[in-house]
Amino acid sequence: MKIVDIKIFVSNPGRNFVTVKIETDEGVFGLGDATLNGRELAVVAYLEEHIKPCLIGRDPHKIEDIWQYLYKGCYWRRGPITMTAIAGIDMALWDIKGKVAGLPVYDLLGGKSREKIRVYGHANGQDIDDTLHHLDHLISEGYNAVRLQCAIPGLEGTYGTLAGKKDYFELQSDRPLPPEQLWDTKAYLDFVPELFKKAREKYGNSVDLLHDTHSRLTPIEAARLGKMLEPYNLLFLEDSVTAENQTGYKYVREHTTTPLAVGEIFNSIWDAKELIENQYIDYLRTAATHAGGITPMRRMADFASLYHVRTAPHGPPDISPIGHAAHAHLNSWTPNFGIQEFIGFGGEALNSVFKYPMTFEHGHLIVNDTPGLGVEFDEKAAEQYPYKRSYLPVSRLKDGTLWNW
Ligand code: KDG
Ligand code: MG
């Protein structure tokens, strides 16, 4: 079998997605997700100019060799653009292998370790009552693990809240330039424990609660937050500090028993090596779409399992249904799987372009047994939703200093 063409589609059925299609001489094709929020076209150029010409004529079954060729062979290893491009190719190759074998990808990985995948949803709101109202709604839909994010009084558009928009797609799809948002660590630290206090007063321990700090704190501030949240028994506190300096998590870890999660911006095992082997974290949030696909995610999971670290793949709306399907297959297999972030199946436009291979039931995703990754992609429907430049926001402190968003 030979690769005869690689097509790259950029569409915006609600938000931008980069879809890779690898075609073979035997008519079988594979699909991969290469979406990097806010930098989509850089990945498209990488795929078109620097990957496609090197793969035409190669055997698509040699997934490992192609992965090593793209990773080691470019000399300039790692980085989000490179690793997202490799991810799109890697997923498409696993999709092809599954279709040829007549097996879902989870069976190629070693078979299911579980029948259903536990997920956490997002409850966000403009104030505590509004956030708890959304929590009520998610619980009534069957979720038993929910991330709580609430607007911080005095801070416009606090991370994780919808700021008056209908949903994440509406919030994220129309930002032709990066909007600027205010950040104030003191206001945040003064407010957040109250949110979790009220949630526990209302629900006791009947639901697992999570929170994302989105890398806004220093290690000692994060340690303080972790301590303040201990009475409310979080499943995990995510991205309490940035992790370029992995030792930062050591200081957070030494001060709190609140479980820690990090990794959505990682693009290689090297970003997490120290965090994992020193057991500074409890959950690894790395996504297949941004870390080179299924091939390295399998290795990361195995490495993490040696140190009691569980996987909790990033599952935002800016990963396409193909990336979500890759996670569903990985999560079905991963022995040390923890939980999957899941914000729903998207709107009408998205569902006219992509068909997911999974269903949601009682707080879990159930992946079907379609060979390969199981996602259908309608190229004609995708053409109706052209790319629109759209950025993530940036944060500034009140005095104008640029901060982590
Ligand atoms: O593109 C950035 C988003 O995916 C990110 O802000 C979402 O932090 C996030 C999360 O935990 O889902
Ligand atoms: Mg996050």
Side-chain angles (χ1 to χ4, degrees), residues 120 122 147 159 212-214 238-239 264 285 314 341:
Y120 71 89
H122 287 191
R147 185 186 97 161
Y159 167 76
D212 189 350
T213 303
H214 226 251
E238 179 190 347
D239 283 358
E264 68 183 36
R285 303 260 303 128
H314 189 207
E341 180 181 29

Side-chain angles (χ1 to χ4, degrees), residues 8 137 185 239 305 343 377:
I8 319 297
H137 178 68
T185 296
D239 283 358
S305 77
I343 37 76
F377 174 63

Side-chain angles (χ1 to χ4, degrees), residues 172-225:
Q172 293 193 1
S173 64
D174 196 17
R175 291 163 169 166
L177 286 173
E180 304 216 345
Q181 296 177 349
L182 269 188
W183 179 250
D184 179 342
T185 296
K186 183 179 179 316
Y188 170 78
L189 289 177
D190 285 347
F191 181 77
V192 165
E194 190 60 17
L195 168 66
F196 285 88
K197 182 165 180 267
K198 291 266 163 55
R200 284 293 177 224
E201 277 167 10
K202 190 160 177 201
Y203 294 98
N205 278 330
S206 64
V207 56
D208 271 318
L209 299 176
L210 305 89
H211 183 65
D212 189 350
T213 303
H214 226 251
S215 305
R216 308 284 169 91
L217 304 180
T218 63
I220 202 65
E221 291 162 351
R224 191 170 146 234
L225 178 63

